[in-house]
């Protein structure tokens, strides 16, 4: 059965409320990553999960981990760090805010004057822009930085993600000497209506995250693939759900990714010569990607776990899909917003230094070996690689490797392999959503378990793996006869959501959102998502 990107892969079978033990074990092992802890964990503590101290392997690991990224989720501002402390909120260049007042309003009226003149604006929910000082950049959820460009006699403006955007109206109205030239494509009615959401694919490997569970679904390689959904190239109506979501997310300063999976249409083209559907899908995604705020497109999730017959076929998919999308984006999307992403799994990474485990999983999943996956995704075809973790718990149990150790092994080995120097590295996490409509009963134990789970599933990939973002499944999705959410029903907060909210200022959380099935409305749902996330993956097919 072929995956449906609008439905996202199915989750684990049990809600986060049941993962107390494993989460507590993880946080106990990684005490330096606990909530509001500002002590930097030494590299040796991460590497001891793989190698014996004093060995050459341990030395190589420690060298790779000698500059770990520190995570702390306290919202309280603290002074600059001493040599033995790590300041709060230092992830990805985030620095503590300042109460310095913005420059006088007279600055707004002054001539632009010199090459490189720079203005920083804070953009509010209604789109209004206010000139601010650089010291206050960290206190604004959405900023635009504009630099005078003598070569065009205009302004070049980028948002906090580095994407080209239109100059603020306030700058256009009052500046002298420079025009406000358009820096992004805003063509309306560019996309076709997405096909309806279908039931998620039940044959994906998905773990139960409780240590008492002994079974995990395995891929059903005999399942037949459904017929591909017909596509159309007619313009999308103005009230198209995806278009609405893009606009609403952009106004809230969220970095936007289009969540898609082009494997089915590519295979139809490669094996049966049916190229029309693949070309139509590429064109539609490029049209939606041209809208302001869209950073890029995800081309597949859990690449190679199904449907493909050989490593060569997977490599062709990545190369040809990348070439087709980049060609389409080149004519419609400004440079800097043409990124391509993919989700992958590499089972052997969880084995750590256990060579018997490595060889066993290489034999069991021959298309997903580390060597082959690196050829798929580290050779220029994609810009962002999200690693799905925790999917092979039963396999690791066979080799006496607990899941919590396997997760640590995965991120340490990826750091040692230097993936974060070749691509923008992310994590794809399914372990924090819960099922059902019953409100969460808040107790001290549940709150503690929620904090531990968030530390294990968000902090560890950032600290140990050096990932740029953790993509959380899911804001809301119906699967396996139940509705799964990160919040409670009706967008009500719960302990998990509260714990994630304390991580908002780290700028590392993304959330998957289906605009065709919101909890309340697209606008209300995205407003709540913005309480936690800086990125959103919108189901686009």
């Amino acid at each position: 059965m072929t995956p449906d990107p609008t439905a996202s892969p199915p989750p684990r079978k049990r809600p986060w409320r049941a993962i107390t033990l494993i989460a507590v074990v993880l946080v106990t092992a990684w005490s330096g990553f606990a909530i509001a802890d500002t002590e930097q964990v030494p590299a040796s503590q991460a590497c001891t999960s793989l190698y014996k101290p004093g060995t050459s392997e341990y030395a190589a690991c420690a060298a790779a981990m000698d500059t770990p990224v520190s995570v702390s989720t306290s919202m309280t501002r603290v002074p600059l760090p001493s040599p033995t402390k790590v300041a709060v909120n230092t992830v990805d260049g985030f620095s503590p805010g300042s109460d310095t007042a913005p420059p006088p309003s007279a600055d707004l009226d002054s001539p632009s004057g010199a090459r490189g003149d720079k203005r920083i604006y804070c953009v509010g929910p209604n789109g209004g822009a206010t000139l601010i000082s650089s010291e206050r950049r960290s206190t604004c959820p959405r900023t635009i930085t504009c630099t005078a460009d003598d070569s065009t006699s205009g302004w070049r403006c980028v948002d906090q993600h580095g994407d080209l955007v239109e100059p603020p109206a306030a700058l256009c109205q009052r500046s002298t000497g420079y025009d406000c030239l358009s820096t992004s494509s805003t063509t309306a009615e560019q996309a076709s209506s997405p096909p309806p959401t279908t039931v998620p694919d039940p044959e994906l490997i998905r773990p139960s995250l409780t240590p008492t569970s002994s079974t995990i679904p395995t891929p059903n390689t005999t399942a037949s693939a459904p017929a591909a959904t017909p596509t159309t190239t007619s313009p999308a109506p103005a009230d198209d759900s995806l278009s609405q979501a893009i606009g609403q997310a952009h106004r809230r300063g969220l970095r936007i990714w289009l969540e898609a999976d082009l494997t089915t249409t590519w295979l139809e083209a490669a094996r049966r010569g049916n190229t029309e559907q693949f070309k139509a899908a590429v064109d539609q995604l490029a049209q939606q990607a041209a809208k302001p705020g869209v950073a890029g497109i995800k081309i597949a999730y859990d690449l190679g776990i199904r449907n493909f017959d050989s490593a060569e076929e997977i490599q062709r998919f990545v190369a040809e899909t990348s070439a087709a999308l980049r060609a389409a984006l080149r004519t419609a999307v400004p440079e800097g917003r043409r990124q391509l992403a993919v989700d992958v799994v590499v089972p052997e990474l969880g084995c750590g230094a256990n060579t018997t485990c490595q060889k066993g999983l290489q034999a069991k999943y021959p298309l997903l070996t580390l060597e082959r996956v690196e050829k798929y995704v580290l050779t220029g075809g994609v810009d962002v690689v999200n690693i799905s973790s925790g999917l092979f718990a039963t396999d690791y149990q066979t080799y006496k490797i607990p899941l919590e150790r396997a997760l640590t092994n995965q991120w340490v080995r990826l750091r040692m392999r230097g993936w974060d120097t070749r691509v923008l590295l992310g994590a794809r996490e399914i372990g924090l959503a819960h099922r059902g409509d019953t409100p969460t009963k808040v107790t001290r134990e549940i709150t503690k378990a929620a904090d531990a789970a968030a530390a294990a599933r968000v902090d560890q990939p950032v600290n140990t793996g050096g990932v740029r973002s953790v993509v959380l499944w899911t804001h809301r999705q119906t699967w396996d006869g139940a509705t799964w959410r990160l919040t409670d029903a009706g967008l009500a907060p719960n302990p998990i959501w509260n714990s994630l909210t304390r991580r908002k200022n780290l700028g590392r959380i993304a959330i998957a959102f289906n605009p065709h099935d919101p909890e309340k409305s697209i606008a209300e749902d995205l407003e709540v998502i913005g309480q936690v996330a800086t990125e959103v993956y919108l189901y686009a097919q």
Side-chain angles (χ1 to χ4, degrees):
M1 189 171 182
T2 305
D4 179 357
T6 65
S8 187
R12 56 186 174 83
K13 292 283 186 178
R14 291 182 172 87
W16 64 266
R17 300 178 181 88
I19 69 171
T20 304
L21 177 57
I22 183 173
V24 170
V25 169
L26 277 166
V27 173
T28 301
W30 292 91
S31 59
F33 301 139
I35 301 296
D37 188 345
T38 59
E39 293 289 346
Q40 182 172 333
V41 176
S44 58
Q45 188 166 336
C47 296
T48 51
S49 68
L50 284 172
Y51 306 108
K52 182 178 180 180
T55 63
S56 59
E57 292 85 358
Y58 176 85
C61 177
M65 300 291 291
D66 61 358
T67 55
V69 180
S70 173
V71 168
S72 172
T73 58
S74 170
M75 297 292 286
T76 305
R77 296 192 181 113
V78 296
L80 293 175
S82 65
T84 59
K85 294 283 186 177
V86 178
V88 172
N89 305 328
T90 57
V91 172
D92 200 26
F94 188 99
S95 59
S98 169
D99 293 327
T100 304
S105 58
D107 287 356
L108 192 60
D109 299 315
S110 63
S112 301
R115 178 193 300 263
D117 182 21
K118 183 176 293 186
R119 307 281 177 90
I120 302 172
Y121 294 86
C122 182
V123 182
N126 62 355
T130 303
L131 187 66
I132 62 172
S133 64
S134 59
E135 290 81 6
R136 294 192 62 188
R137 184 196 301 266
S138 61
T139 65
C140 176
R142 183 188 177 198
T143 59
I144 292 178
T145 302
C146 295
T147 305
D149 187 347
D150 283 350
S151 64
T152 61
S153 295
W155 292 90
R156 185 181 187 277
C157 300
V158 297
D159 62 14
Q160 69 269 34
H161 307 298
D163 294 335
L164 291 170
V165 297
E166 300 287 347
L171 178 63
C172 300
Q173 293 167 359
R174 300 195 183 187
S175 65
T176 59
Y178 288 87
D179 296 325
C180 286
L181 302 179
S182 174
T183 55
S184 65
S185 174
T186 57
T187 305
E189 297 185 352
Q190 292 178 319
S192 60
S193 300
T197 302
T198 60
V199 177
D201 181 5
E203 64 196 68
L204 274 170
I205 303 175
R206 284 293 176 252
S208 168
L209 297 182
T210 58
T212 56
S213 175
S214 60
T215 60
I216 299 175
T218 55
N220 179 4
T221 56
T222 62
S224 58
T229 304
T231 56
T232 173
T233 57
S234 59
D239 61 351
D240 167 64
S241 297
L242 178 58
S243 298
Q244 286 187 47
I246 291 173
Q248 292 283 351
H250 180 54
R251 282 190 285 274
R252 287 164 174 76
L254 291 167
R255 186 179 180 89
I256 302 164
W257 286 87
L258 301 180
E259 174 122 344
D261 192 312
L262 293 170
T263 55
T264 299
T265 54
W266 182 86
L267 286 168
E268 283 288 317
R271 295 174 180 175
R272 299 178 178 86
N274 183 6
T275 60
E276 293 183 1
Q277 287 188 335
F278 178 70
K279 185 179 184 302
V282 167
D283 290 343
Q284 289 172 14
L285 288 169
Q287 288 169 359
Q288 292 286 17
K291 296 179 178 178
V294 179
I297 301 168
K298 191 173 83 173
I299 65 173
Y301 61 81
D302 295 345
L303 178 70
I305 206 169
R306 67 178 60 71
N307 297 332
F308 291 99
D309 294 333
S310 67
E312 291 74 18
E313 195 173 47
I314 299 175
Q315 285 182 268
R316 280 185 56 210
F317 163 75
V318 173
E320 294 179 10
T321 301
S322 172
L325 277 170
R326 293 193 193 281
L329 293 172
R330 195 173 297 119
T331 61
V333 179
E335 186 178 359
R337 288 175 42 209
R338 304 171 186 166
Q339 295 185 90
L340 302 181
V342 69
D343 297 342
V344 300
V345 290
V346 189
E348 68 187 80
L349 286 176
C351 297
N354 186 326
T355 56
T356 302
C357 173
Q358 291 177 20
K359 292 178 181 178
L361 295 192
Q362 288 169 357
K364 187 173 183 178
Y365 305 101
L367 299 185
L368 303 176
T369 65
L370 178 59
E371 180 181 2
R372 283 178 166 171
V373 173
E374 287 186 332
K375 290 180 180 178
Y376 304 154
V377 300
L378 299 184
T379 51
V382 294
D383 310 292
V384 177
V385 179
N386 298 321
I387 312 297
S388 296
S389 59
L391 275 62
F392 304 95
T394 297
D395 291 303
Y396 301 137
Q397 289 172 5
T398 301
Y399 299 97
K400 305 295 189 293
I401 300 174
L403 179 57
E404 64 270 19
R405 174 60 63 87
L407 293 174
T408 301
N409 289 345
Q410 171 178 282
W411 296 118
V412 171
R413 291 197 66 201
L414 280 172
R415 189 73 168 270
M416 291 180 64
R417 299 286 290 191
W419 278 36
D420 58 329
T421 68
R422 305 279 295 278
V423 291
L424 296 175
L425 191 62
R428 189 170 191 276
E429 179 54 57
I430 65 171
L432 296 180
H434 67 94
R435 66 185 297 167
D437 299 331
T438 304
T440 303
K441 182 179 180 181
V442 180
T443 66
R444 176 181 292 184
E445 290 73 21
I446 288 177
T447 299
K448 183 177 180 180
D451 285 344
R457 299 294 172 170
V458 176
D459 297 354
Q460 180 169 241
V462 173
N463 281 289
T464 311
V467 305
R468 62 176 293 277
S469 67
V470 181
V471 185
L472 302 179
W473 184 93
T474 176
H475 173 66
R476 171 194 164 91
Q477 183 178 314
T478 301
W479 178 78
D480 197 24
T483 301
W484 294 75
R485 301 177 179 89
L486 288 168
T487 65
D488 281 357
L491 302 178
N494 56 34
I496 277 286
W497 192 258
N498 292 336
S499 187
L500 293 173
T501 300
R502 292 194 290 274
R503 288 162 168 79
K504 166 64 184 290
N505 59 341
L506 299 177
R508 293 300 183 103
I509 296 177
I511 292 178
F513 173 51
N514 183 356
H516 315 294
D517 185 24
E519 182 73 17
K520 286 188 174 181
S521 69
I522 290 173
E524 290 174 287
D525 286 29
L526 284 170
E527 185 68 28
V528 170
I529 286 173
Q531 297 172 2
V532 164
T534 55
E535 294 186 328
V536 62
Y537 278 66
L538 300 177
Y539 299 154
Q541 283 186 315

